[in-house]
Amino acid sequence: MMHVVGYHTTPFGELWDDSLFGLVKKVIDNLLADANLDIKEIDAIFFANMLGGVLENNLHAGAKIAEMTHTNIPVFRVESACASGGMAFHLAQHYLLGQRAKTILVIGAEKMTDYAPEQVVTGLAAAASGEEQEAGLTFPGLYAMMAQVYLQKFGYTERDLAAVPVKNHYHGTLNEKAQFKRIITVEQVINSPYVASPLKVLDSSPISDGAAGVVLSTDPAVVKKIKHKTPVLACEVATDSISLSGRRALDSIEATKIAADKAFVRAEIAREDIGVAEVHDCFSIAEIIAMEDLGFYKHGEAARHIVSGETTYGRSNGMVVNTSGGLKAAGHPVGATGIKQIGEVYLQLTNQAGRRQVKSVRYGLAHNVGGSGGTAVVTILGG
Amino acid sequence: MMHVVGYHTTPFGELWDDSLFGLVKKVIDNLLADANLDIKEIDAIFFANMLGGVLENNLHAGAKIAEMTHTNIPVFRVESACASGGMAFHLAQHYLLGQRAKTILVIGAEKMTDYAPEQVVTGLAAAASGEEQEAGLTFPGLYAMMAQVYLQKFGYTERDLAAVPVKNHYHGTLNEKAQFKRIITVEQVINSPYVASPLKVLDSSPISDGAAGVVLSTDPAVVKKIKHKTPVLACEVATDSISLSGRRALDSIEATKIAADKAFVRAEIAREDIGVAEVHDCFSIAEIIAMEDLGFYKHGEAARHIVSGETTYGRSNGMVVNTSGGLKAAGHPVGATGIKQIGEVYLQLTNQAGRRQVKSVRYGLAHNVGGSGGTAVVTILGG
């Protein structure tokens, strides 16, 4: 049986005193110390990172990590835009299924705040197609188009969108590692400047630095000695057209639907069994659409359920969504995000989530998206 | 049993009429047609590419490939500098070992000749450490340091280095897909301009465009229906310090030694069983050192054996090395190289290598290196 047996994350935010690989080193050192493991007991490292090539001119991160950790084991860099973390976890899971490795570190990291904003925005736009880039579209614009269709089709307003960041900022106040630890109101969201109508600054996840990592093991000796652990039930990936123009619909992400359906079949549990979910809220509309595509709500109904507070910590009778604060409030250091999502679910399932601990939670889900939905990864833990 | 059941490569060279993804599409279409497979029968695609982020601003290649092939299957981009191809093959192999997938395409591609040389050189330098980059070191300089140590330690001259490109250019004349299909002489190598002493232009692999792909399958129905196939016996990876300053020695690549030892143990064959080898000759010194690190020759002896012609097609009584022309003459479109190496071994083992077909070859080896040796992959096919 495969288990997540450890998790560590740096704070997310503007970490000007740390380098990309400095953050990676901190995470690896903490993971090994917490699990009382030596690097010699690790069979491979998977490293999720999007922008290290364009921002740091590093295209050999595996060897850099080998150098820092004084090891000769395989180290793989995984890049799949904002889904890099989820994809790294998926590949690590399959690597373990192959039974030639037993214990793996899966690390995600990104360093974004040291660079000129136009460099970062151009780098992030690399998750969109060449045609979209040439048309001048960046990610706020792509998600704004999705939001326009959704709002018009179902009669929602920008106030409804605002419920997502309001909830996630509240959760951020309960997470000491979050980039934003302050409450915001619907009025503040509504009055913040437009980035791409109908999306505003406070509908949008920030530019962040940070690193996160998990230890994944099938080794009975390792699993036995570790107190806090949770089984990996499924981690499924689906892709779709990188361009919005190639999609069947703009108010739904097909890759999420496919990955979720596969994951629930694999995990042999129902949607109702999920107690916590980390859902990819790069923009407010993204969480709304995801909640429908993941099968938690019918199409067109997620917004009003989120507005009602039923996925908010302390107000929910069922599943709580984005207890970490989500991408919006916890921060979105791209390569780290998918790992932090899985780590947050692990914290909840192992009763280590502190002030945001959801009671009696047995199963949790993490949902990680690349670009505007060209890649989706759905991971289910617990049992 | 896992088999390589298909291989296709574009010509390597200055392919100004093709885009990066146009080349990928050609390879996928040809692989599927040759194997009489539909994309629906493919469970995942692994895509090896180094420079698509920095040169094309594409950091979501998986979704781009999904769009082109009208599929929702997982598509993974693998980046590990010049070892990207070998690493992609290794990950695909482990993915199949996990038994949740049966048939995979492993594609490698690079588009390099459309860009200003300084962009390409800076991009390639991303395979070196930040400290090396800041010191102004590019890859000719790094390999030149290795060559200086080797020549001085064992009393060889620049004429001895020249034997490698002379051999590989001869092999290139026998490969219709090679970038350079003309013979060169030792005098021509010696008289070509220095790039970084003792290495000259003709000691160095070129800047190239190209794509290559293999079909890898464990599906008995697929393996049965395909005529040309060869078993995968081992594909092992090792890493080492990205910086030369962190290595034990400059005249040896530890990662190659570790990966080779693991691969031969896994394959349960001896060095003497290998009939063909594709060895990572980014510079002439690299092939010489690799032949020792792979265990084919004792330390300090490879150069004179290569000079003697014993690894040259038509002159060898044993193993022939770099029948494709190697990186030097076949070309070095970075992400494609590791796949082309495996593909060339497959062609030899399935008796499809045409004018360069080695007789009675039962086992073959491919050796792919990232950077100056921070990553090495050794693959053994045949049986």
Side-chain angles (χ1 to χ4, degrees):
Chain A
M1 187 68 162
M2 195 181 303
H3 286 75
V4 176
V5 297
Y7 169 57
H8 182 81
T9 181
T10 69
F12 284 4
E14 298 187 357
L15 310 177
W16 293 355
D17 293 331
D18 283 298
S19 67
L20 173 65
F21 289 105
L23 292 169
V24 170
K25 183 76 165 58
K26 280 186 181 175
V27 169
I28 292 175
D29 288 347
N30 276 283
L31 284 174
L32 294 176
D34 291 351
N36 195 23
L37 285 167
D38 187 273
I39 189 71
K40 291 189 179 62
E41 297 173 85
I42 306 300
D43 299 312
I45 299 173
F46 284 74
F47 175 56
N49 171 259
M50 180 182 182
L51 297 167
V54 297
L55 294 181
E56 311 237 342
N57 210 44
N58 182 301
L59 290 168
H60 201 184
K64 176 69 184 171
I65 291 172
E67 180 172 296
M68 293 190 312
T69 54
H70 306 290
T71 178
N72 300 106
I73 59 175
V75 189
F76 306 99
R77 180 205 170 190
V78 180
E79 181 275 304
S80 189
C82 303
S84 299
M87 292 290 257
F89 191 86
H90 173 90
L91 284 172
Q93 180 208 28
H94 279 71
Y95 206 81
L96 287 174
L97 288 171
Q99 300 189 336
R100 292 188 181 172
K102 288 182 174 177
T103 303
I104 289 180
L105 304 182
V106 192
I107 314 292
E110 210 79 45
K111 193 79 183 73
M112 304 171 77
T113 72
D114 297 349
Y115 301 92
E118 51 269 35
Q119 282 181 287
V120 176
V121 169
T122 302
L124 290 172
S129 68
E131 295 78 5
E132 289 170 338
Q133 291 182 47
E134 285 168 14
L137 276 162
T138 57
F139 275 88
L142 291 164
Y143 276 93
M145 289 198 280
M146 299 164 74
Q148 290 287 12
V149 170
Y150 186 86
L151 295 189
Q152 287 178 26
K153 191 165 169 182
F154 298 109
Y156 288 113
T157 68
E158 296 176 19
R159 296 188 77 85
D160 298 314
L161 296 178
V164 173
V166 167
K167 167 177 71 68
N168 291 346
H169 267 251
Y170 168 56
H171 293 167
T173 66
L174 308 174
N175 176 7
E176 70 284 359
K177 301 288 184 77
Q179 183 164 359
F180 300 121
K181 292 184 272 283
R182 61 184 167 86
I183 285 174
I184 57 171
T185 64
V186 170
E187 294 309 317
Q188 283 175 309
V189 179
I190 292 293
N191 292 323
S192 67
Y194 279 109
V195 179
S197 174
L199 301 176
K200 302 167 204 75
V201 166
L202 289 178
D203 287 297
S204 312
S205 55
I207 300 298
S208 317
D209 305 325
V214 293
V215 186
L216 198 53
S217 186
T218 54
D219 185 340
V222 170
V223 173
K224 190 179 175 190
K225 81 172 179 179
I226 303 234
K227 182 182 168 196
H228 296 297
K229 57 203 167 196
T230 191
V232 179
L233 300 182
C235 181
E236 298 292 333
V237 166
T239 57
D240 198 357
S241 162
I242 186 171
S243 308
L244 282 189
S245 62
R247 308 278 176 79
R248 291 190 197 172
L250 288 184
D251 58 342
S252 166
I253 289 179
E254 184 83 4
T256 295
K257 288 184 176 181
I258 296 169
D261 285 346
K262 287 171 73 175
F264 278 100
V265 168
R266 174 85 62 197
E268 298 182 336
I269 65 166
R271 263 72 173 178
E272 303 77 61
D273 297 325
I274 298 292
V276 289
E278 289 286 304
V279 169
H280 198 94
D281 61 321
C282 48
F283 297 94
S284 50
I285 186 64
E287 178 169 327
I288 294 169
I289 286 177
M291 292 299 291
E292 301 174 1
D293 293 333
L294 290 166
F296 294 124
Y297 297 119
K298 286 183 188 160
H299 192 34
E301 295 190 1
R304 67 177 173 81
H305 285 282
I306 297 169
V307 168
S308 81
E310 72 181 50
T311 59
T312 304
Y313 183 74
R315 294 173 64 191
S316 171
N317 294 316
M319 177 177 53
V320 186
V321 175
N322 283 329
T323 53
S324 73
L327 283 61
K328 175 64 197 83
H332 182 27
V334 175
T337 284
I339 304 301
K340 179 222 69 178
Q341 294 177 318
I342 289 167
E344 175 70 14
V345 170
Y346 161 83
L347 291 180
Q348 291 285 352
L349 293 173
T350 55
N351 210 29
Q352 299 180 85
R355 291 196 296 144
R356 62 191 187 281
Q357 180 65 51
V358 177
K359 282 184 189 147
S360 312
V361 54
R362 187 164 172 207
Y363 299 103
L365 175 147
H367 165 250
N368 193 197
V369 170
S372 62
T375 303
V377 189
V378 175
T379 305
I380 299 176
L381 306 178
Chain B
M1 187 68 162
M2 194 180 305
H3 285 76
V4 176
V5 298
Y7 170 56
H8 182 81
T9 182
T10 68
F12 284 6
E14 298 187 357
L15 310 178
W16 293 355
D17 294 331
D18 284 298
S19 67
L20 174 65
F21 289 104
L23 292 169
V24 170
K25 183 76 164 58
K26 279 186 181 176
V27 168
I28 292 176
D29 288 348
N30 276 284
L31 284 174
L32 294 176
D34 290 351
N36 195 23
L37 285 167
D38 188 272
I39 188 72
K40 291 188 179 63
E41 297 172 87
I42 305 301
D43 298 312
I45 299 173
F46 285 74
F47 175 56
N49 171 259
M50 178 182 183
L51 297 168
V54 296
L55 294 181
E56 312 236 343
N57 210 44
N58 183 301
L59 290 168
H60 201 184
K64 175 69 184 171
I65 291 172
E67 179 172 295
M68 293 190 312
T69 53
H70 306 290
T71 179
N72 300 106
I73 59 175
V75 189
F76 306 99
R77 180 205 170 190
V78 180
E79 181 276 304
S80 190
C82 303
S84 298
M87 291 290 256
F89 191 87
H90 174 89
L91 284 172
Q93 181 208 28
H94 279 71
Y95 206 81
L96 288 174
L97 288 170
Q99 298 190 336
R100 292 188 180 172
K102 289 182 174 176
T103 303
I104 289 180
L105 305 182
V106 192
I107 313 292
E110 210 78 44
K111 192 80 183 73
M112 304 171 77
T113 72
D114 297 349
Y115 302 92
E118 53 268 34
Q119 283 181 286
V120 176
V121 169
T122 302
L124 290 171
S129 69
E131 295 78 4
E132 288 170 338
Q133 290 182 48
E134 285 167 16
L137 275 162
T138 57
F139 276 86
L142 291 163
Y143 276 93
M145 289 199 280
M146 298 162 75
Q148 291 286 12
V149 171
Y150 187 86
L151 296 189
Q152 288 177 26
K153 191 165 171 182
F154 298 109
Y156 288 112
T157 68
E158 297 177 18
R159 297 189 75 86
D160 298 313
L161 296 178
V164 173
V166 166
K167 168 178 69 69
N168 292 345
H169 267 251
Y170 167 56
H171 293 168
T173 67
L174 308 175
N175 176 7
E176 71 285 358
K177 301 287 183 78
Q179 182 163 359
F180 300 121
K181 292 184 272 282
R182 61 186 168 83
I183 286 174
I184 57 172
T185 64
V186 170
E187 294 309 316
Q188 283 174 308
V189 178
I190 292 293
N191 292 324
S192 67
Y194 279 109
V195 179
S197 173
L199 301 177
K200 302 168 203 74
V201 167
L202 290 179
D203 287 298
S204 313
S205 55
I207 301 297
S208 318
D209 306 323
V214 293
V215 186
L216 199 52
S217 186
T218 55
D219 185 341
V222 169
V223 173
K224 191 180 173 189
K225 79 171 180 180
I226 305 245
K227 182 182 169 195
H228 297 297
K229 57 204 168 197
T230 192
V232 178
L233 299 183
C235 180
E236 298 292 333
V237 167
T239 58
D240 198 357
S241 163
I242 186 171
S243 308
L244 281 189
S245 62
R247 309 276 177 81
R248 291 189 197 173
L250 288 185
D251 57 343
S252 166
I253 288 179
E254 185 81 5
T256 295
K257 288 184 177 180
I258 296 169
D261 285 344
K262 287 172 72 177
F264 278 101
V265 168
R266 174 85 64 196
E268 297 182 336
I269 64 167
R271 263 70 173 179
E272 302 77 60
D273 296 323
I274 297 292
V276 289
E278 290 286 305
V279 169
H280 199 92
D281 60 321
C282 49
F283 298 95
S284 50
I285 186 65
E287 178 169 326
I288 294 168
I289 286 177
M291 292 298 292
E292 299 173 2
D293 292 333
L294 289 166
F296 294 124
Y297 297 118
K298 286 183 186 161
H299 192 35
E301 295 190 1
R304 66 177 173 82
H305 285 282
I306 295 169
V307 168
S308 82
E310 71 180 50
T311 60
T312 304
Y313 183 74
R315 294 174 63 190
S316 171
N317 294 315
M319 177 176 53
V320 187
V321 175
N322 283 328
T323 53
S324 73
L327 283 62
K328 175 65 197 81
H332 183 25
V334 176
T337 285
I339 305 299
K340 179 222 70 178
Q341 293 176 318
I342 289 167
E344 176 71 12
V345 170
Y346 160 83
L347 291 180
Q348 291 285 353
L349 293 173
T350 55
N351 210 28
Q352 299 180 86
R355 291 196 295 144
R356 62 191 186 279
Q357 180 65 52
V358 177
K359 282 182 190 148
S360 312
V361 53
R362 186 164 171 205
Y363 299 103
L365 175 148
H367 165 251
N368 192 196
V369 170
S372 62
T375 302
V377 189
V378 175
T379 305
I380 299 176
L381 306 178

